[in-house]
Amino acid sequence: MVSNEQYREELREQYVASGEVTKLPYEVGVYTQGKVGSKAVLAVLESAFGVYTTDQNDMYVWDYRRSELEGVLQHQSITGTRRRLLSDDPEVAQFMEDHPARDFRVVSVVREPVAINLSSFFYNFIPRNPDIDIHNLSDEEIIQRLRHGESFSSPSFHLDWWDIEVQPMTGIDVYKNEQFPIEKGSAVYSADAGERHTDLLVLRLEDMQLFARGALSKYYGISVPELKKVNAAEDAPGDYDARYKSFKSEAKLPEEWVKWQMDSQYARFFYSENEREAFTNRWV
C-alpha cells in the first residue's frame, strides 16, 4: 500500500517533470488578510528565493486569499484595483485546482484589529468614493462610516477572517490551539484539506522587526533579508496620508466599538490581556 508521503512524492516528481512547479516539495505563499504587513513578507520572500530571475522564472511566491461573494463583487467595483477572488497574480486558484495534492508552506501576518480597520478604511476610501474628498470629512463622519463597516464587505470581516478564509481553504483552525505564543512572536500551524497539506507560519505585525527575519529563515531553511515597508500609506491611491495621520492622533473612538474588536476571539487569541488593554486606551 502506498503511503500518503510516497503518493505526494510521486506527484511532486510529475509536477517537476511537467515544468509547471519548482523543485521545492511545496509552494511558497503569503496568505494576505489586508493592511497587516503581508506585502513586506511577500517582497522579502521573492528576494530570498530569487523569484523572476533568469534561472528561476518558474518560481512564484503566491499572494492569495478567498473572499465571500459580496466582498468579491464590492472589490470589482472599486476603480483602480484588481478583482480579488483567490489571488492577485499569478492565478493561484487555477493552480490549486490543477494540482489538488500540491502542498503549500505559507505565511500570514496578524495585526491588532482596530488598526486593521482604520488602515483598510483610509487606504480604500478614495478608490471607493472618488467623488468625496476625505479631507472634508470630520472625525465624527469618519467614525460613523467605520461603525457601519465601510472598511470591509461586512463589519466583522477582519475579526472572522480566520474562520471564513483560512479554515475552509487550508483546514487550519488556529483557535483549537493554545493562545498564540506571544513571547516567541511566531507560531506554525498545520492541517490537511483534501489531499493538500498546508503549513502556516503566523507572525504579528507588532513584532515583525524582532522576530520575522529569524522565523522566516528557520521556516524555509534559507537566509531571508531584512523586511522593509511595502504598500504603506504613501504608496496608496490618492492623497489620504495626512488625513489618516491626523485622525489617528486626534480622533476619540467610541469605547464600545473599540472593545467589541478587542474582546473578539481574534484579539484574545493573538494578544494578551495587557496588550488589549493598552490598545483600547490608545484608541479611546
Side-chain angles (χ1 to χ4, degrees):
M1 183 176 179
V2 178
S3 67
N4 287 340
E5 183 56 36
Q6 288 174 313
Y7 174 65
R8 284 199 176 106
E9 191 59 40
E10 291 175 2
L11 287 175
R12 289 168 189 157
E13 292 176 359
Q14 295 173 19
Y15 295 159
V16 172
S18 71
E20 294 181 7
V21 300
T22 69
K23 295 181 180 179
L24 290 172
Y26 48 75
E27 293 297 308
V28 178
V30 177
Y31 208 139
T32 56
Q33 183 178 356
K35 306 313 297 175
V36 295
S38 302
K39 295 296 184 184
V41 175
L42 184 70
V44 81
L45 290 180
E46 289 177 340
S47 175
F49 280 102
V51 179
Y52 311 131
T53 59
T54 304
D55 60 339
Q56 288 283 350
N57 56 16
D58 61 342
M59 172 68 190
Y60 295 133
V61 176
W62 303 105
D63 176 11
Y64 66 97
R65 69 198 306 166
R66 180 172 63 184
S67 293
E68 294 177 313
L69 179 58
E70 180 184 355
V72 174
L73 295 175
Q74 181 186 78
H75 209 76
Q76 283 178 309
S77 67
I78 301 174
T79 304
T81 60
R82 288 173 291 185
R83 178 174 182 265
R84 182 176 66 211
L85 181 55
L86 269 171
S87 71
D88 285 338
D89 184 31
E91 186 52 66
V92 67
Q94 186 61 52
F95 179 91
M96 295 176 78
E97 182 178 339
D98 293 342
H99 306 294
R102 178 69 168 165
D103 296 343
F104 272 72
R105 183 167 291 185
V106 297
V107 183
S108 191
V109 182
V110 297
R111 183 183 188 185
E112 65 96 343
V114 176
I116 296 177
N117 209 324
L118 298 187
S119 183
S120 296
F121 174 84
F122 280 90
Y123 187 85
N124 292 311
F125 184 85
I126 291 175
R128 286 179 175 175
N129 302 277
D131 299 325
I132 301 176
D133 187 345
I134 195 170
H135 299 278
N136 293 333
L137 293 180
S138 67
D139 287 351
E140 290 72 22
E141 289 173 312
I142 290 174
I143 288 171
Q144 285 305 310
R145 286 173 175 267
L146 286 165
R147 290 172 71 103
H148 289 141
E150 190 172 317
S151 304
F152 311 102
S153 56
S154 65
S156 63
F157 177 84
H158 62 313
L159 305 178
D160 302 331
W161 185 78
W162 286 88
D163 290 325
I164 64 178
E165 295 263 359
V166 179
Q167 185 177 0
M169 191 169 182
T170 67
I172 295 171
D173 181 359
V174 293
Y175 299 129
K176 286 186 176 180
N177 299 274
E178 296 181 357
Q179 185 184 31
F180 182 84
I182 295 167
E183 69 285 352
K184 295 182 179 179
S186 67
V188 177
Y189 305 100
S190 303
D192 294 317
E195 298 176 281
R196 187 186 322 285
H197 178 80
T198 301
D199 293 315
L200 178 61
L201 169 67
V202 180
L203 305 167
R204 302 197 317 174
L205 177 66
E206 294 81 7
D207 303 322
M208 291 271 272
Q209 294 304 315
L210 289 175
F211 299 111
R213 185 181 185 186
L216 288 166
S217 297
K218 180 180 179 181
Y219 185 54
Y220 287 111
I222 59 175
S223 178
V224 173
E226 293 286 352
L227 278 74
K228 299 178 181 179
K229 280 189 176 182
V230 178
N231 207 31
E234 56 269 22
D235 302 322
D239 174 24
Y240 82 90
D241 189 31
R243 187 67 187 93
Y244 181 36
K245 289 179 179 177
S246 68
F247 182 85
K248 287 196 297 180
S249 64
E250 299 170 8
K252 296 181 179 180
L253 300 179
E255 184 174 359
E256 75 280 4
W257 184 73
V258 172
K259 287 188 174 181
W260 162 65
Q261 295 171 84
M262 290 302 168
D263 289 340
S264 65
Q265 184 178 35
Y266 173 98
R268 286 186 283 107
F269 183 81
F270 290 109
Y271 297 94
S272 69
E273 183 177 355
N274 288 339
E275 287 175 319
R276 288 184 281 115
E277 183 178 355
F279 290 139
T280 300
N281 292 335
R282 172 194 176 187
W283 295 119
V284 173

